[in-house]
Amino acid sequence: MRRRPDLIGALLAALLAVPAAADIAFVTCQNADTVSVIDLDTGLERARWSVPGKPAGVAVDPGGAVYTVSPDSKTVRRHDLTGTVTAEAVLDGGPIGVALDAARDRLFVSDWYNARVFVLDAVALEVITTLPTAAAPAGLALSPDGLLLAVAERDADRVSLFDTESLAVLHTAAVGSRPFGLSFAPDGRLFVGNVGSNDVTVIDPGVGEVLATVPVGERPYGVAFAAGRAFVTNQYQNSVSVLSLEDLGPVATLDVGEYPEGIAATEDGTIVVANWFDNSLSLIDAATLKVTQGPATADGPRAFGAFLYPGHLP
């Protein structure tokens, strides 16, 4: 039986309209005052949200919210998945980094200028308290079990570890020069990118002990993990250093876009890199280390934080 061309077209259109179960990237684009919403399965930009104030920090709640931090306007916003702002707060100082503690409905925001971390109610964005830190806190990260908050204190060359339940300081650890971004590996170790000394400090967060210092490329910024490897963006080298999680040895150095910054891993093992200077994403297969040019973004993608949403948008 011959099928009518118009019926075939309708069937194809229906199939293409089904949302793909792939990660969505919510990429803060600082120069454009925008969040680019990228479907990583199709490679299409689904939307651009207007986010005034030069957004940099971002945290995605798998429960259905996206948090952005705009340093120029000192504004923290909670968006739903359509981009609608459901809450916002203007903070003192220099808010930049952000991390979500979904289990306790808390949002942590680092204050670059006043050596502290704001603790906000994650729904209303009301300030609950502040945590004192050393100079210029930048990147924030929650441990895989949600029990620890790590803070990169850039101008003190130090990392502090807080108990997320009591908010007490548990440990501090001296690291390399000017730590900025940091992430916990799946096994619980903390990896810290030191932009001033071109290395990564690896910490046992349970005791605050430095386990190793590993050289990488020039000006390491962010760290992500997949396939038993750590992936580190090197801003000044336009590359990503790949380390073995087993022995911390070098595996490869991969060329990506210009001035890579934010980095994260999808659930299926794709590493997503935001390239600030050429307005694009690079995609790395964590197993094969093949790099492909990803979709374009708005101007100045930073994606500083946990910027991936698992699954499709409604």
Side-chain angles (χ1 to χ4, degrees):
M1 181 178 68
R2 296 182 64 187
R3 293 180 173 83
R4 290 167 46 194
D6 57 340
L7 178 60
I8 294 172
L11 289 171
L12 287 172
L15 287 172
L16 292 172
V18 176
D23 287 11
I24 303 294
F26 292 90
V27 182
T28 45
C29 297
Q30 194 162 43
N31 299 344
D33 288 332
T34 292
V35 167
S36 282
V37 182
I38 307 291
D39 185 323
L40 295 175
D41 184 62
T42 64
L44 299 176
E45 186 179 43
R46 297 278 296 270
R48 287 188 179 184
W49 301 348
S50 175
V51 183
K54 308 302 179 189
V58 59
V60 172
D61 179 2
V66 179
Y67 297 88
T68 60
V69 180
S70 295
D72 278 23
S73 63
K74 307 181 189 301
T75 305
V76 179
R77 297 178 177 90
R78 183 181 191 271
H79 313 255
D80 68 17
L81 295 181
T82 71
T84 299
V85 176
T86 59
E88 67 176 36
V90 177
L91 304 177
D92 294 331
I96 181 167
V98 61
L100 174 67
D101 181 1
R104 299 167 186 81
D105 286 327
R106 291 172 175 167
L107 189 73
F108 299 101
V109 179
S110 56
D111 181 354
W112 179 267
Y113 294 132
N114 293 309
R116 61 184 173 178
V117 171
F118 291 99
V119 184
L120 308 178
D121 178 279
V123 177
L125 297 186
E126 296 172 348
V127 177
I128 299 169
T129 188
T130 59
L131 310 177
T133 68
L140 305 175
L142 234 66
S143 60
D145 59 13
L147 299 179
L148 297 173
L149 170 71
V151 183
E153 299 161 346
R154 196 198 71 157
D155 288 356
D157 300 337
R158 196 181 81 167
V159 166
S160 287
L161 291 153
F162 292 84
D163 182 298
T164 50
E165 186 64 42
S166 68
L167 301 179
V169 179
L170 298 178
H171 307 290
T172 61
V175 295
S177 174
R178 299 195 172 189
F180 200 85
L182 73 178
S183 296
F184 285 91
D187 64 10
R189 288 178 295 174
L190 179 63
F191 284 62
V192 184
N194 303 306
V195 299
S197 50
N198 299 332
D199 52 30
V200 170
T201 301
V202 183
I203 296 171
D204 178 345
V207 295
E209 177 186 350
V210 172
L211 301 174
T213 300
V214 185
V216 288
E218 192 173 0
R219 202 174 172 92
Y221 183 89
V223 189
F225 308 93
R229 293 163 171 168
F231 296 78
V232 184
T233 49
N234 303 310
Q235 290 174 313
Y236 284 8
Q237 195 173 308
N238 303 333
S239 71
V240 169
S241 292
V242 186
L243 307 174
S244 167
L245 287 180
E246 183 176 358
D247 61 9
L248 301 178
V251 175
T253 300
L254 309 175
D255 293 332
V256 291
E258 188 177 2
Y259 213 89
E261 290 215 340
I263 185 170
T266 68
E267 292 187 329
D268 67 358
T270 298
I271 300 296
V272 184
V273 180
N275 303 307
W276 189 11
F277 282 7
D278 65 7
N279 303 335
S280 72
L281 302 181
S282 293
L283 307 179
I284 303 170
D285 184 310
T288 66
L289 302 183
K290 180 182 178 181
V291 181
T292 56
Q293 182 63 35
T297 67
D299 189 22
R302 296 201 67 185
F304 183 41
F307 63 93
L308 298 184
Y309 176 78
H312 60 78
L313 294 179

